[in-house]
Amino acid sequence: NFTTGAHIWASASGTVVYTHASVSCNACDTGCGDYSSSCTGSTSNYGWGNVVIIQHSDGTYTKYTHMQQNSIQVSNGAGTCPGLYIGRQGHTGCTAGYMNGCGDHLHFQRQSSGSLNGTSVSISFSETSNPLSCGATYDSAASERTSCGGQPGCSTTITHSGSNIIDDTDACFEKFGNPAYWYAETCGGYGNHFWWTDAISGNTPENYVKWNLKIGEAGEYKVRVFVPQCRATTRQAKYEIHAAGNTYTKTIDQSIYYDEWVTLGTYYFNTSSGQYIRLNDNTGETNYPDIAFDAVKLVYDGCTTRTYYRDADNDGYGNPNDTTQSCTQPSGYVTNGDDCDDANASVHPGAQEVCDGIDNNCANGVDEGNVCDACRDSGGDRDEDGVCDDEDNCPATPNGDQADTDGDGHGDACDRCPSDNPDDSDGDGVCQSEDNCPDVANAGQFDCDGDGEGDACDTDSACEPACGATAALASPPFPPLVLPLLLLLIARLLPWRSSKPGGKRLFLP
């Protein structure tokens, strides 16, 4: 285009992802007055001059380059629509043309990424009434737009007491897609006007509408949409409600309504930006019914909101970092935010702590309370032999193998008589297998006759008085020393004769 400073319009709806507006020189057209040998590198924006790059819903990007210095009308993040004035043609960067000499020039490119040097994507141009030819002039049927509606510029503020209606003529109503497929209608609708298009069956919408919401007072609002009496023949109009960081969907059959308000549901809206209602044309229907886009209305529900917490694992405890505000408890949310792992239903406050490297009960750290001690609930392991005390047959003496030869429940390591069961039935301190009188106490184990049977239980030991030990144990007829004294006394009392010379006998007392 030879027109100096001609307005450049966005080719399609999208979002601005890159702008550069400070280049004032030309790097390649040496015969032009704006040429500068120092217009290189970053000074020339690497030859592209001043640039706008827009991302589109199909994943492609459009790039507009060599624009006039400081002429760009949009900023990063701004929405665009067909015909939106985004800047003016210029002669910046490395541009030189054989057709326009030092005149203004627009490099327009469709590409696969948002990079300055993105790979080109082919474009199909066609115009049946005026076939494309080199050097021809073409006039767009579209009108220049200085905004696409919506925010900013959307002035309708939603309040508790307001009418809160956004009609299709409101600045908060925003259409996207191919203008050729948008049709205005006056056969009904709110204010006797609405827009419609053909519904499509594809996965990606071609035309859609956003009712941008500027919420002045947070709260629960009933969302209602107006369905006109004509052109609304789709049975699968899927409305998206983008509220307070959440997205909800509600599908209605437009064909059954006749110039009336239809309630989609009640949703919580806060005062942050970026909240809206959206309706796409891709309903999935293959018979191309008409889908109508008219007014929406928000009606304050008048309730007290509270915070609810997402409970993704359905364990009754919510994620403190995933919340929503609502008058009523939404599905999948709970009133507490005490969960420390909302992806694991076995982890929550009150859960039993087990030895698994996880804080199961969301308190006091990982594996607290000695849960990894196998004998924690079994009395411990005093002898540290790996066998818990309540199962150890020698809890105070190490015996990891738990050997118990006599099977009496006392391990060999601590059993005084490991081969005997019972150990010592007569209680004389001699093991049963070694006791010569196992049923009669005989701690001394006396066996006078050496027959292996202890004197305490040997029935024939009394027949062998020569055995000192046995005789000592037998009961004597008299106490010790009594017998000698008794014999002496008898000798004194009994008369006895003593022979003297002369043959006389003397009787001594």
Side-chain angles (χ1 to χ4, degrees):
N1 193 311
F2 298 97
T3 306
T4 302
H7 285 196
I8 301 171
W9 298 351
S11 62
S13 298
T15 302
V16 178
V17 295
Y18 177 85
T19 62
H20 191 97
S22 63
V23 179
S24 60
C25 57
N26 183 281
C28 297
D29 240 348
T30 58
C32 298
D34 57 357
Y35 170 76
S36 171
S37 60
S38 62
C39 191
T40 59
S42 59
T43 303
S44 68
N45 197 20
Y46 306 98
W48 292 108
N50 300 311
V51 179
V52 171
I53 299 178
I54 300 173
Q55 181 181 17
H56 303 288
S57 61
D58 64 354
T60 64
Y61 298 76
T62 50
K63 179 169 64 180
Y64 309 77
T65 72
H66 308 305
M67 298 168 70
Q68 277 188 2
Q69 182 185 21
N70 298 326
S71 71
I72 294 174
Q73 306 294 306
V74 292
S75 58
N76 286 347
T80 67
C81 51
L84 179 68
Y85 170 37
I86 62 172
R88 295 190 298 274
Q89 286 185 169
H91 192 244
T92 57
C94 184
T95 176
Y98 65 90
M99 290 182 60
N100 61 345
C102 297
D104 293 349
H105 168 81
L106 171 65
H107 175 112
F108 171 75
Q109 177 175 328
R110 186 175 181 231
Q111 57 188 45
S112 60
S113 72
S115 167
L116 271 176
N117 299 305
T119 303
S120 295
V121 177
S122 63
I123 305 174
S124 297
F125 292 96
S126 64
E127 188 171 327
T128 57
S129 60
N130 188 8
L132 292 173
S133 61
C134 211
T137 299
Y138 297 90
D139 293 323
S140 171
S143 299
E144 180 174 296
R145 303 179 65 175
T146 56
S147 74
C148 296
Q151 297 173 315
C154 172
S155 60
T156 301
T157 302
I158 308 299
T159 64
H160 293 171
S161 58
S163 60
N164 302 334
I165 296 175
I166 301 175
D167 196 7
D168 62 291
T169 58
D170 194 289
C172 299
F173 178 91
E174 190 174 8
K175 302 195 311 298
F176 296 87
N178 191 333
Y181 298 133
W182 280 119
Y183 307 100
E185 186 58 80
T186 59
C187 62
Y190 185 83
N192 202 37
H193 185 277
F194 65 93
W195 293 91
W196 67 274
T197 190
D198 293 323
I200 62 173
S201 60
N203 293 324
T204 303
E206 292 181 359
N207 284 34
Y208 63 93
V209 159
K210 288 172 63 177
W211 292 267
N212 294 290
L213 305 175
K214 184 178 180 181
I215 307 296
E217 295 179 284
E220 292 275 338
Y221 289 87
K222 286 186 174 66
V223 175
R224 295 174 176 172
V225 296
F226 198 89
V227 180
Q229 60 177 297
C230 58
R231 291 293 184 184
T233 58
T234 176
R235 296 178 181 274
Q236 296 178 184
K238 182 184 291 185
Y239 291 85
E240 296 176 3
I241 301 91
H242 297 257
N246 299 297
T247 299
Y248 309 93
T249 59
K250 176 69 174 181
T251 302
I252 68 170
D253 180 356
Q254 286 190 346
S255 68
I256 65 175
Y257 299 106
Y258 189 89
D259 270 356
E260 57 186 297
W261 290 104
V262 180
T263 299
L264 301 182
T266 301
Y267 309 93
Y268 175 79
F269 294 86
N270 57 26
T271 57
S272 65
S273 60
Q275 300 177 95
Y276 57 90
I277 314 298
R278 174 169 169 160
L279 179 58
N280 300 327
D281 64 352
N282 60 323
T283 66
E285 296 163 290
T286 59
N287 58 337
Y288 304 105
D290 298 338
I291 181 169
F293 304 79
D294 203 347
V296 300
K297 176 167 64 175
L298 272 65
V299 179
Y300 179 58
D301 201 34
C303 69
T304 302
T305 61
R306 64 176 301 177
T307 301
Y308 291 94
Y309 302 85
R310 180 72 171 168
D311 182 16
D313 58 8
N314 295 313
D315 62 0
Y317 297 87
N319 182 348
N321 300 314
D322 189 350
T323 64
T324 188
Q325 299 289 320
S326 179
C327 292
T328 57
Q329 185 169 341
S331 176
Y333 286 79
V334 294
T335 56
N336 72 81
D338 300 330
D339 209 340
C340 57
D341 186 353
D342 202 32
N344 188 341
S346 65
V347 175
H348 57 74
Q352 181 179 356
E353 191 74 13
V354 296
C355 182
D356 58 1
I358 298 173
D359 184 10
N360 305 95
N361 60 9
C362 299
N364 304 318
V366 174
D367 297 338
E368 79 271 11
N370 297 323
V371 293
C372 293
D373 180 356
C375 297
R376 182 188 65 159
D377 300 321
S378 305
D381 180 14
R382 285 177 292 164
D383 57 11
E384 298 182 349
D385 60 0
V387 182
C388 298
D389 284 355
D390 64 350
E391 299 176 354
D392 198 336
N393 57 21
C394 282
T397 304
N399 61 329
D401 60 2
Q402 296 290 288
D404 181 11
T405 302
D406 56 12
D408 63 355
H410 300 285
D412 293 351
C414 60
D415 193 343
R416 186 170 58 83
C417 304
S419 300
D420 298 326
N421 186 4
D423 290 343
D424 179 14
S425 62
D426 57 10
D428 60 2
V430 181
C431 293
Q432 199 80 355
S433 61
E434 301 172 358
D435 197 337
N436 57 19
C437 280
D439 297 318
V440 179
N442 62 333
Q445 296 289 289
F446 296 116
D447 181 8
C448 183
D449 56 7
D451 63 356
E453 187 173 12
D455 295 346
C457 60
D458 192 343
T459 57
D460 61 359
S461 62
C463 301
E464 301 171 359
C467 295
T470 301
L473 291 173
S475 299
F478 303 102
L481 300 181
V482 172
L483 182 59
L485 292 175
L486 182 60
L487 293 175
L488 178 60
L489 179 61
I490 294 173
R492 293 289 300 259
L493 294 178
L494 292 178
W496 55 284
R497 293 185 225 184
S498 176
S499 296
K500 293 289 185 180
K504 292 185 180 179
R505 295 177 183 250
L506 295 177
F507 291 90
L508 298 177

